[in-house]
Amino acid sequence: MEGWRCIDPHVHCRDWNESYKATIREVAILASTQGVVAIIDMPNTDPPVTTLDTARRRVETARREGVERGYYIYVAATPDIGQLEEAVGAVANLRWVAGLKMYTAPMKGLEASTIEAQRTVYRRLSELGYRGVLAVHCEKTSLFREELWDPSKPWTWGYCRPPEAEVESVKDQVRLALENDFRGTLYIVHTSTPDAVSIVASAKEQGLKTVCGVTPHHLMLSLEDMARSSGLALKVNPPLRQRRLKEGLLDKVREGQADFLETDHAPHAPSEKLGPPYLSGIRSLDNYSKCLEWLLGNGVSEKILRDMTYNNAKRVFPMIEE
Ligand SMILES: [Zn+2]
């Protein structure tokens, strides 16, 4: 979109041991061609960003690759108390650390998959007086039905990790944040169901500082699209949803209930997606500006879109300079 300056609060730049998938430099250049002037990189890298030292090294890598501006990172928030303290210290001490990220679903050992583990994170962040952003990937592992996944029918991924796994996990996060008097901003990433967006909206009314984001792929594609030959290429977490839910999610966007447009840009080698291990992740930054045009053409007002692509991110992540 001509003249738009956007912020993408959720990308995976890979790099390091996964440089064959993408590098920080490549993703930053791609972002700029799409009108995205600042990105926030997720910590599930190889090795993961869990400490002050890895956070520093991450930004040094960016600088070495010539990325001087508009690059920010999250540090993982795990249920390990010592790690959590270190992560909070990284947010306090490094101005390019935009917040913390917690995984409720399996993610390279970084996850807090039980309620007890998640409660530990909220309680400790509260005790440490943390006031920054906690981004959370919400899928309740106990509701997964692994036995339904059949790579020869790629759409079964949507049954394996069903909508209720997201909805129930979002409810858990809101409850845990309120119960533990969490004072930061709870950011529910990549909401893929209208119910999840509604839960965030009513949590705001209860006085919780909370926001949610939606991705281009959950708005523009549905589970039915996975029945095409390229179905495995569309495997993503959380999965694409059935058309009815996808339309419901778009309604929430039209109503101005989604705070961010986030790409969750997640490059892989094609062979890793189309064959074992059938990795999840879509290169959604490739189509960012197309998605903006699509949303404007599908009843989303320019005011709402400006808020979702820039104004809300500037408010929630005040450290961002482009
Ligand atoms: Zn992600």
Side-chain angles (χ1 to χ4, degrees):
M1 297 284 292
E2 200 106 356
W4 283 47
R5 298 172 65 75
C6 302
I7 295 169
D8 185 350
H10 186 162
V11 299
H12 297 267
C13 291
R14 308 301 190 199
D15 215 306
W16 289 350
N17 293 332
E18 295 177 322
S19 295
Y20 68 94
K21 298 179 195 249
T23 62
I24 296 171
R25 178 182 172 80
E26 285 165 9
V27 176
I29 290 171
L30 171 61
S32 71
T33 65
Q34 296 286 330
V36 173
V37 293
I39 52 177
I40 316 181
D41 194 9
M42 285 293 171
N44 59 335
T45 43
D46 181 9
V49 179
T50 54
T51 62
L52 189 61
D53 182 54
T54 43
R56 277 209 183 95
R57 281 206 287 127
R58 192 70 183 162
V59 175
E60 279 165 20
T61 300
R63 301 293 180 259
R64 205 176 325 118
E65 293 179 13
V67 178
E68 298 291 341
R69 303 181 65 80
Y71 178 74
Y72 295 84
I73 62 173
Y74 297 92
V75 175
T78 76
D80 176 315
I81 295 293
Q83 187 277 324
L84 212 46
E85 282 173 20
E86 174 114 11
V88 168
V91 178
N93 290 306
L94 304 177
R95 63 175 184 78
W96 51 81
V97 177
L100 304 176
K101 171 74 182 280
M102 179 169 79
Y103 294 88
T104 61
M107 181 51 74
K108 301 176 175 174
L110 299 173
E111 66 273 9
S113 39
T114 64
I115 292 287
E116 292 68 35
Q118 292 161 20
R119 182 178 294 119
T120 300
V121 172
Y122 288 99
R123 186 186 295 146
R124 194 67 192 125
L125 289 180
S126 227
E127 288 166 359
L128 292 167
Y130 182 66
R131 300 224 166 204
V133 172
L134 176 66
V136 185
H137 176 125
C138 294
E139 281 186 289
K140 199 171 174 112
T141 313
S142 60
L143 296 176
F144 287 176
R145 300 187 60 195
E146 308 279 356
E147 73 281 5
L148 297 180
W149 166 235
D150 174 357
S152 72
K153 298 177 182 134
W155 60 90
T156 55
W157 192 242
Y159 310 143
C160 171
R161 296 175 73 138
E164 54 270 26
E166 170 175 282
V167 172
E168 291 307 313
S169 179
V170 175
K171 284 185 195 163
D172 289 344
Q173 306 317 309
V174 166
R175 196 183 65 246
L176 289 167
L178 288 169
E179 280 174 7
N180 292 282
D181 200 18
F182 176 68
R183 296 295 179 85
T185 299
L186 174 63
Y187 164 23
I188 307 293
V189 304
H190 52 45
T191 46
S192 64
T193 58
D195 283 356
V197 178
S198 298
I199 294 162
V200 172
S202 51
K204 286 176 184 166
E205 284 166 17
Q206 292 177 67
L208 188 67
K209 255 195 284 172
T210 182
V211 289
C212 65
V214 290
T215 72
H217 45 273
H218 290 113
L219 291 169
M220 299 173 76
L221 298 165
S222 68
L223 196 57
E224 288 83 352
D225 291 312
M226 292 188 82
R228 292 178 305 168
S229 57
S230 57
L232 286 169
L234 302 181
K235 180 169 177 275
V236 66
N237 296 329
L240 299 180
R241 303 303 187 190
Q242 287 175 337
R243 197 172 292 124
R244 179 180 56 83
L245 290 179
K246 166 196 126 69
E247 291 301 330
L249 188 66
L250 181 58
D251 284 339
K252 294 291 173 192
V253 171
R254 290 190 189 107
E255 290 162 14
Q257 290 197 40
D259 300 279
F260 303 137
L261 184 69
E262 62 186 73
T263 63
D264 191 11
H265 181 71
H268 290 296
S271 61
E272 300 169 315
K273 286 191 68 61
L274 303 179
Y278 306 107
L279 294 180
S280 295
I282 296 181
R283 298 184 49 102
S284 273
L285 198 46
D286 291 349
N287 297 311
Y288 187 90
S289 65
K290 247 186 235 159
C291 177
L292 298 190
E293 281 170 22
W294 184 88
L295 288 168
L296 288 173
N298 278 275
V300 178
S301 74
E302 183 171 332
K303 156 87 173 70
I304 285 173
L305 206 53
R306 294 267 188 192
D307 286 346
M308 288 175 69
T309 56
Y310 187 83
N311 298 331
N312 292 338
K314 283 293 266 192
R315 175 172 50 81
V316 173
F317 300 100
M319 71 289 290
I320 289 185
E321 296 169 357
E322 321 99 52

